[in-house]
Amino acid sequence: MLWLRLVHDIVPEADLFFHTGIISSGDFASGILKLGYDYNCDLIVDDITHITEPYFQDGIVADAVDSVYKKNIYYATSAGNFGNKSYESVSSPVTFTISNYSFLPNDNTLRAHNFGGGDIMQGLSLMPGRYLIKFEWDEPFATLKQATGAVTNFDIWVVADNNQLLYSGNRNNIGEDPQEFMAFSVPGTTAYPVNILITGANMPSGKRIKYTLFRTPAAGFAWNDQVAGIEAGTIVGQANAVRSCISWRCII
């Protein structure tokens, strides 16, 4: 990531300042504020995406950008290259036969998300390679010191066609950030059919939910089920901040 301070109107004569953006979201935000306030930069540029930043609200990086914008600093950021690798909808809880899934807790409050037509399993075909999936729901973030953090414990599971668990994101999120992450590798040489299952104890209806495949192999993956919500937007973090200023630019 590179920040520029324009001392004169001619860019080649500008003083250049640099601050890394890859250590953490907090360090990234601190660097933006330092360059904007301590070094009085006129132009700030980054190409960093922190996937821990919220989908549905501004995080600390976006707040830092808002702060330097108020000083009339021009900020440009990369929108990322995650394409259409995301699913977004609102939670639609349905009852289901929990005993069909041996990896699930025996909890009679457990509900599954209905992807459409009563189907709780969303089919994908994954090519061999490494994957990183982030799942989030629209509730308070503990790391942003919002209320009590998450109030619902959603979980996301990658399940084989025979209902056997392959990978999961199943931390207890109550009081923490409403996020789950799954990092895994698909072996072999051909596409492997899997299913996404989303569950939650006392799952509320109408809660915004979203997952994104932030890492996929070059050969990619395929949506086997053409349901509403697939191929949703994948711009996150400071590039997806809520603002009306015309000086904000997202660069792909």
Side-chain angles (χ1 to χ4, degrees), residues 37-90:
Y37 285 86
D38 295 351
Y39 294 97
N40 296 312
C41 293
D42 300 306
L43 169 65
I44 302 178
V45 180
D46 83 67
D47 62 353
I48 301 295
T49 298
H50 278 281
I51 65 173
T52 55
E53 288 293 279
Y55 285 150
F56 304 114
Q57 59 177 302
D58 283 357
I60 56 176
V61 178
D63 285 343
V65 172
D66 283 336
S67 180
V68 297
Y69 167 73
K70 293 174 182 177
K71 291 191 67 198
N72 294 319
I73 295 171
Y74 187 99
Y75 198 103
T77 184
S78 167
N81 295 297
F82 308 112
N84 57 1
K85 304 174 183 178
S86 189
Y87 168 82
E88 182 173 353
S89 187
V90 295

Side-chain angles (χ1 to χ4, degrees), residues 17-40:
F17 294 84
F18 173 83
H19 191 286
T20 184
I22 64 175
I23 295 176
S24 67
S25 294
D27 184 71
F28 188 9
S30 176
I32 293 170
L33 295 175
K34 183 178 295 184
L35 287 156
Y37 285 86
D38 295 351
Y39 294 97
N40 296 312

Side-chain angles (χ1 to χ4, degrees), residues 193-228:
V194 302
N195 303 279
I196 297 292
L197 170 67
I198 296 173
T199 63
N202 296 306
M203 181 190 294
S205 179
K207 185 77 66 177
R208 296 175 70 190
I209 60 174
K210 183 183 183 79
Y211 74 82
T212 302
L213 292 89
F214 281 109
R215 176 185 292 156
T216 62
F221 74 101
W223 302 101
N224 292 344
D225 296 334
Q226 299 298 308
V227 298

